[in-house]
């Protein structure tokens, strides 16, 4: 995916982004995966949130499950539980760079030009 993935947690105002670390000047190797990646700086955790693509934030080499790659795009948001592993420490008021290890309980929301409301659909089981 060439666009950045941002997860905006619904329980607070934190934002999580994909694995590009332009700000910290570290290079993440996507082949290393998520949970055991040597660049992980803290424990992985599950958050309930919204995942969407946006312009203007770091992007490249995202580490996300295939189900996310199949469904998320500029017109589609995903809501659900996301297991994220941090590549940067959490700082109030700043985005935290993470990879997404797993996603579950996914609901999609697709915005269609000319429609007043988005189309909502379940993803997976």
């Amino acid at each position: 995916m060439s666009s950045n993935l941002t997860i905006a947690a619904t329980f607070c105002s934190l934002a999580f982004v994909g694995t590009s670390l332009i700000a910290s000047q570290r290079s993440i190797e996507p082949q290393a995966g998520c949970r055991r990646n040597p660049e992980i700086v803290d424990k992985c955790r599950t958050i309930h949130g919204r995942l969407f693509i946006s312009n203007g934030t770091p992007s490249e080499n995202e580490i996300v499950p295939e189900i996310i790659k199949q469904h998320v795009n500029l017109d589609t948001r995903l809501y659900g539980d996301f297991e994220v592993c941090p590549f940067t420490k959490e700082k109030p008021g700043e985005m935290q760079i993470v990879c997404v290890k797993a996603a579950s309980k996914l609901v999609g929301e697709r915005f269609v030009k000319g429609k007043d409301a988005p189309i909502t659909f379940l993803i997976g089981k």
Side-chain angles (χ1 to χ4, degrees):
M1 299 179 81
S2 63
S3 297
N4 179 50
L5 298 177
T6 303
I7 301 171
T10 57
F11 57 86
C12 62
S13 62
L14 295 177
F16 299 87
V17 297
T19 62
S20 175
L21 295 180
I22 294 169
S24 65
Q25 300 301 313
R26 291 172 27 198
S27 177
I28 300 298
E29 291 296 327
Q31 303 87 327
C34 193
R35 186 183 298 270
R36 292 190 175 92
N37 197 300
E39 297 298 327
I40 297 297
V41 297
D42 206 348
K43 292 181 182 178
C44 300
R45 65 183 186 274
T46 299
I47 61 167
H48 182 80
R50 176 181 68 211
L51 184 140
F52 60 97
I53 292 176
S54 66
N55 291 320
T57 55
S59 63
E60 78 180 62
N61 300 327
E62 289 88 2
I63 300 174
V64 297
E66 279 301 314
I67 193 79
I68 290 174
K69 291 179 183 180
Q70 292 171 4
H71 290 281
V72 76
N73 58 53
L74 287 172
D75 298 320
T76 303
R77 296 177 183 167
L78 301 182
Y79 296 83
D81 293 335
F82 301 94
E83 183 180 356
V84 297
C85 302
F87 288 120
T88 59
K89 293 286 187 181
E90 189 173 333
K91 293 180 183 176
E94 291 185 20
M95 284 194 259
Q96 183 177 21
I97 308 300
V98 304
C99 60
V100 181
K101 169 69 177 145
S104 60
K105 301 177 185 171
L106 294 175
V107 175
E109 185 177 64
R110 182 173 298 121
F111 295 87
V112 179
K113 188 175 183 174
K115 294 216 178 245
D116 291 335
I119 299 168
T120 304
F121 56 97
L122 294 176
I123 299 171
K125 299 176 185 177

